[in-house]
Amino acid sequence: MRSLKKRVAARDNNCCYVCGREAEEGEVFDLEHKRPISLGGSPDDMDNLGLICPEDHEIKSKAEAAAANRRRARQRD
């Protein structure tokens, strides 16, 4: 996974794919699936991978969790 993250970081100039912010020295962005695997995203397709800053990662994770909760609620109805 480390080599994949390095390839994505080099491709994206070590920038967050959401906001475009470049990582500051010593800051580490997460490797993220742009489209979640659970929703059909490819786990290792370079087009589905990007670096994401901690702030955007938190926002995206909360939004994905809320969407999953809504899907589960609809399935129960």
Side-chain angles (χ1 to χ4, degrees):
M1 189 63 122
R2 283 187 183 170
S3 66
L4 190 58
K5 185 175 182 178
K6 285 181 183 180
R7 288 178 23 216
V8 172
R11 178 196 70 194
D12 296 346
N13 297 313
N14 212 31
C15 293
C16 174
Y17 80 90
V18 176
C19 69
R21 184 170 73 81
E22 187 174 350
E24 297 176 14
E25 188 166 334
E27 185 178 24
V28 178
F29 287 174
D30 293 323
L31 183 63
E32 171 80 354
H33 292 101
K34 295 175 182 179
R35 180 179 173 116
I37 296 169
S38 63
L39 296 178
S42 173
D44 54 5
D45 179 4
M46 290 290 286
D47 291 335
N48 193 40
L49 294 170
L51 297 180
I52 190 167
C53 69
E55 298 82 7
D56 286 327
H57 198 184
E58 182 176 355
I59 292 166
K60 184 174 183 283
S61 294
K62 286 180 180 179
E64 288 173 353
N69 288 338
R70 287 190 299 274
R71 283 191 302 276
R72 281 193 291 276
R74 281 194 302 265
Q75 288 173 350
R76 285 191 300 255
D77 292 339

